[in-house]
């Protein structure tokens, strides 16, 4: 029996050999979690930054959807542009009406981005406005993208670097 007790004593942790306690382990895990969260938030903010390319592609998609809506609905749609953004509205002989849908409602461009058009707004799409080509240039800093609309389809293409 003495042998057994001596053997049990060998399994007791000595103070210099003790591992981490549960509380210490939780503190370490909490520090790691906070650090990982900070890194992932930092990476996310970089990927969420608005880019000229993303805005141009979104404009091309929305312009195409509005043109399709005008053709399928046999109605005229106006592409309206303001200094800080653009939108699409139904057009009647009495003038501009309410926005067509929530997806085509007014879109505000991110700060610092500028859009210039090859035609004076409002630009009519649809039965009477169809077939007229249009180009919209979106730029900010050193980025420039052009949205080309040929009356049927809209495409976003990279533009040449702005001249200094």
């Amino acid at each position: 029996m003495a042998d057994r007790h001596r053997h049990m004593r060998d399994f007791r942790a000595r103070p210099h050999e003790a591992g981490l306690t549960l509380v210490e382990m939780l503190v370490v895990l909490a520090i790691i979690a906070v650090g990982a969260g900070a890194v992932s938030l930092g990476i996310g903010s970089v990927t969420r930054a608005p880019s000229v390319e993303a805005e141009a592609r979104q404009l091309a998609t929305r312009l195409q959807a509005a043109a399709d809506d005008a053709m399928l609905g046999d109605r005229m749609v106006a592409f309206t542009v303001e200094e800080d953004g653009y939108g699409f509205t139904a057009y009647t002989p009495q003038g501009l009406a309410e926005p067509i849908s929530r997806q085509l409602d007014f879109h505000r461009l991110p700060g610092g981005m500028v859009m210039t058009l090859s035609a004076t707004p409002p630009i009519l799409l649809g039965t009477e406005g169809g077939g007229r080509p249009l180009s919209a240039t979106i730029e900010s800093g050193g980025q420039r993208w052009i949205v080309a609309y040929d009356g049927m389809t809209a495409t976003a293409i990279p533009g040449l670097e702005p001249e200094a």
Side-chain angles (χ1 to χ4, degrees):
M1 185 95 75
D3 241 1
R4 188 172 185 201
H5 287 291
R6 189 167 26 114
H7 190 331
M8 294 285 280
R9 276 187 290 156
D10 290 341
F11 287 110
R12 289 189 201 145
R14 295 182 180 92
H16 66 279
E17 295 176 341
L20 293 175
T21 65
L22 181 58
V23 173
E24 292 170 332
M25 182 77 77
L26 290 175
V27 168
V28 169
L29 288 175
I31 291 170
I32 292 171
V34 168
V39 167
S40 67
L41 285 176
I43 290 171
S45 66
V46 170
T47 59
R48 285 190 303 267
S51 73
V52 174
E53 178 183 359
E55 286 296 321
R57 290 186 188 283
Q58 182 177 13
L59 173 59
T61 301
R62 295 180 85 207
L63 186 60
Q64 183 69 54
D68 291 346
D69 183 84
M71 276 196 271
L72 295 173
D74 195 28
R75 62 178 172 176
M76 292 194 343
V77 173
F79 174 44
T80 59
V81 179
E82 294 180 16
E83 189 174 315
D84 61 342
Y86 62 90
F88 301 90
T89 58
Y91 188 82
T92 64
Q94 293 78 25
L96 299 176
E98 291 297 311
I100 300 168
S101 69
R102 208 171 175 171
Q103 290 78 18
L104 297 175
D105 200 6
F106 187 80
H107 174 71
R108 191 169 313 280
L109 290 171
M113 286 192 195
V114 178
M115 180 168 59
T116 53
L117 299 174
S118 64
T120 305
I123 298 158
L124 299 179
L125 310 171
T127 55
E128 292 183 28
R132 288 184 34 211
L134 161 74
S135 69
T137 303
I138 300 177
E139 53 190 318
S140 176
Q143 297 182 3
R144 175 185 284 180
W145 276 71
I146 298 168
V147 176
Y149 175 68
D150 64 6
M152 296 293 284
T153 58
T155 309
I157 54 175
L160 300 174
E161 294 296 316
E163 295 178 14

